[in-house]
Amino acid sequence: MKIAFANATLPKSGVIVVFATEGGKLTAPAAIVDKASKGQLTRAVKAANFEGKRDQIMDVIACGTYDRILVVGLGKADSITAHETEMLGGAIAGSLQSAKVTIAAIAVASHKTLSEAETASLLASGASLRVYSFDQYKSKKPEKAKPLDSIAIHSASAEKAEAEFAPLSAIREGNHFARNLVNEPANILYPVEFANRAKQLAKAGVKIEILTPAQMKKLGMGALLGVAQGSPFEARLVVMRWDGGKKGQQPIAFIGKGVTFDTGGVSIKPAGGMEDMKGDMGGAACVTGLMLALAKRKAKANVIGAIGLVENAIDGNAQRPGDVVKSMSGQTIAVLNTDAEGRLVLADVLWYIQDKFKPKFMINLATLTGAILVALGKEHAGLFSNNDELAKRISDAGYATGEKVWRMPLTPAYDKMIDSDIADMKNIGGRFAGSITAAQFLQRFVNKVPWAHLDVAGTAMDAEKSAINQSWGSGWGVRLLNKLVADHYEK
Ligand code: BES
Ligand code: ZN
Ligand code: ZN
């Protein structure tokens, strides 16, 4: 979709989007459109008893000289937040798409909380997040132009709006990059192919290093490699670096679970719904999308993104329940369930990153447990952390972006549940508190570095549809973590 930021002079025909506040009161630009339509817009708003509540959208067809006027409710405009404005942009784009509109203008109104430039850029951002589609495997392409081919956003400060949109456009790009990765089927996106896609970030100035199984073996990554050993696809560990901060400044690190398909291994998963396990790399997708977003907007921070890429498959060489593996940290693990594989992958990546880069903090994202869906549904991702300040910052960034997290406990009593008789630990903790024991497992590999784990099993894939996301793979976390970096780590 093309987005243009235009001056306040509104078009006199075509499709136009205007705003009304609570009570159906037309904003100033809407009043201009009303005048051009010789009062027909006011009449339509009254006749429809349009109340102007937030997210209410009224579609007026053939009104005055216009083909279509979309009247969008702002509710109490003076309390609208940045995120709510973005969601409005998404809802507008959705309405225009359903109406098969290809070109539209939006008449931005000014109000107290956000400047016109901010409003214009946020509406553009929401609309651009919304109009994502993943259709490269459809062999029949639509003949006509796609709905919503271009929008022009009219405001009193077009240049400023355009400038404010630049970083939002970078974030959108990162989010869509992540969505694409999650949506790809596992026969296309296996570890080496994922690593190849990550290489594309070099164009944006990200440095990429890729470790092969031989290199990982040398480093002693027996936990990660044990998961990969039942698959014909070789594992990869990708380390991405964006050095936008001061030279020598301690980096921050993001780490992702990248299981390109999770059959469960010998502890095989039931057939029903197993296809969803192509999305078991949602954490790695988010980290990759985040690195792209940070690089594209030239974030002033030194950032590491590391992703452990494996397929958890089954063949004669697959690891068995009961196998004992040795992780890079030296700790041994009894693999009682081969389906609890994400923690095995992350154990070695977390250890490697803290050991090699001594980061200020590590945040890992993983579609780690089905149990987090039982606990929190799809509304919040699970947050586990050994650091209150970091946890609070993540939580705040979550509410500000609508990518919400809810903190869960970590305590010695839960930690004890993964002690093993024959090894240093086992990879499952029993029937209860499954998400917590998984997090306790990870914590044994962070070596006291400030750390947070986001269990995104309920949010990265098959997520709730929203005004700004209609895709199966949501790209969840890119916007949240970008905000975390922007708010606290670019000084
Ligand atoms: N990838 C799954 C978790 C998952 C489940 C992600 C549903 C997305 C949706 C993970 O590897 C897994 O299989 N976890 C097991 C752990 C159990 C064996 C302790 C689970 O959640 O059942
Ligand atoms: Zn699994
Ligand atoms: Zn998994």
Side-chain angles (χ1 to χ4, degrees):
M1 181 182 64
K2 291 183 279 295
I3 294 175
F5 291 96
N7 66 25
T9 312
L10 300 175
K12 296 264 185 305
S13 61
V15 178
I16 191 159
V17 180
V18 299
F19 296 90
T21 56
E22 206 153 80
K25 194 168 170 298
L26 294 180
T27 57
I32 295 171
V33 169
D34 182 46
K35 219 169 157 194
S37 75
K38 300 203 166 59
Q40 279 191 49
L41 184 60
T42 301
R43 193 175 155 206
V45 163
K46 281 212 177 106
N49 292 316
F50 182 72
E51 291 171 296
K53 290 198 176 125
R54 175 93 34 88
D55 291 337
Q56 237 183 353
I57 296 184
M58 181 178 142
D59 195 0
V60 190
I61 297 166
C63 186
T65 51
Y66 295 94
D67 292 337
R68 196 165 210 136
I69 303 174
L70 233 64
V71 193
V72 178
L74 287 170
K76 290 196 175 65
D78 289 348
S79 65
I80 193 163
T81 65
H83 176 55
E84 285 164 343
T85 306
E86 229 170 11
M87 295 290 274
L88 264 187
I92 291 166
S95 293
L96 293 169
Q97 280 184 313
S98 338
K100 297 201 164 51
V101 171
T102 53
I103 305 169
I106 301 181
V108 171
S110 60
H111 48 81
K112 275 185 203 150
T113 43
L114 299 165
S115 72
E116 258 189 62
E118 280 171 315
T119 302
S121 64
L122 288 162
L123 288 171
S125 169
S128 69
L129 283 163
R130 169 70 177 243
V131 298
Y132 167 88
S133 67
F134 186 79
D135 51 17
Q136 65 263 47
Y137 298 113
K138 301 235 186 226
S139 56
K140 291 192 196 84
K141 302 286 174 217
E143 276 163 31
K144 284 189 195 152
K146 270 193 184 169
L148 212 48
D149 196 41
S150 85
I151 51 175
I153 305 187
H154 293 260
S155 74
S157 33
E159 261 173 48
K160 234 174 130 202
E162 187 148 15
E164 300 221 5
F165 181 61
L168 299 178
S169 175
I171 299 160
R172 194 278 311 156
E173 212 176 312
N175 169 281
H176 284 187
F177 197 85
R179 286 184 194 176
N180 281 343
L181 289 168
V182 177
N183 286 329
E184 282 287 7
N187 61 330
I188 305 287
L189 195 80
Y190 45 90
V192 168
E193 175 57 20
F194 195 135
N196 286 339
R197 305 262 175 124
K199 274 190 208 160
Q200 294 174 7
L201 272 59
K203 277 182 283 180
V206 176
K207 294 180 198 118
I208 318 271
E209 198 190 337
I210 301 176
L211 272 61
T212 62
Q215 291 167 303
M216 288 189 263
K217 197 169 172 201
K218 251 198 196 145
L219 288 162
M221 296 188 173
L224 182 151
L225 290 171
V227 177
Q229 79 189 29
S231 168
F233 296 123
E234 276 190 8
R236 289 291 184 270
L237 197 167
V238 180
V239 181
M240 299 164 268
R241 292 198 60 154
W242 168 249
D243 294 322
K246 291 194 193 87
K247 214 171 177 213
Q249 194 174 43
Q250 200 183 10
I252 56 177
F254 298 93
I255 290 147
K257 168 180 172 180
V259 175
T260 58
F261 194 80
D262 182 9
T263 66
V266 172
S267 314
I268 194 167
K269 286 185 180 295
M274 202 205 275
E275 65 276 13
D276 282 359
M277 287 302 116
K278 73 172 186 178
D280 207 18
M281 29 54 73
C286 170
V287 169
T288 312
L290 172 69
M291 295 305 288
L292 179 61
L294 294 174
K296 284 267 166 160
R297 71 169 182 80
K298 303 222 178 317
K300 290 188 180 60
N302 295 337
V303 189
I304 289 161
I307 51 177
L309 302 169
V310 301
E311 182 181 55
N312 187 23
I314 329 169
D315 67 10
N317 193 42
Q319 69 181 342
R320 292 147 291 263
D323 282 4
V324 175
V325 295
K326 190 169 177 186
S327 66
M328 185 187 170
S329 72
Q331 301 175 95
T332 57
I333 305 157
V335 180
L336 299 194
N337 189 317
T338 64
D339 195 13
E341 84 298 341
R343 63 199 76 179
L344 297 169
V345 173
L346 289 172
D348 279 335
V349 184
L350 285 165
W351 188 265
Y352 176 69
I353 294 301
Q354 61 79 28
D355 183 52
K356 181 158 183 196
F357 298 103
K358 314 278 182 260
K360 199 180 293 176
F361 69 70
M362 296 193 286
I363 296 176
N364 74 258
L365 295 100
T367 49
L368 204 63
T369 65
I372 203 68
L373 274 144
V374 177
L376 300 175
K378 296 181 171 200
E379 197 39 37
H380 291 86
L383 162 67
F384 301 82
S385 182
N386 61 2
N387 184 290
D388 291 343
E389 185 186 55
L390 183 60
K392 166 95 171 52
R393 288 176 173 182
I394 294 171
S395 170
D396 289 348
Y399 284 110
T401 54
E403 294 181 338
K404 301 183 290 272
V405 302
W406 194 264
R407 193 167 180 188
M408 305 277 286
L410 289 167
T411 72
Y414 290 118
D415 184 69
K416 239 176 116 201
M417 290 165 73
I418 53 167
D419 284 342
S420 158
D421 291 342
I422 72 156
D424 296 332
M425 70 195 85
K426 51 190 179 184
N427 76 330
I428 49 170
R431 216 163 93 73
F432 302 120
S435 300
I436 305 174
T437 49
Q440 293 288 171
F441 184 98
L442 298 181
Q443 194 178 13
R444 291 188 181 203
F445 298 88
V446 305
N447 215 5
K448 304 225 159 59
V449 173
W451 155 81
H453 152 53
L454 296 170
D455 194 334
V456 297
T459 54
M461 63 172 107
D462 193 22
E464 298 283 34
K465 303 271 185 284
S466 80
I468 55 171
N469 179 51
Q470 300 283 308
S471 161
W472 185 84
S474 62
W476 190 98
V478 173
R479 296 169 52 256
L480 154 65
L481 295 174
N482 171 75
K483 173 109 176 109
L484 174 80
V485 174
D487 284 354
H488 301 287
Y489 301 99
E490 292 192 53
K491 301 282 140 53

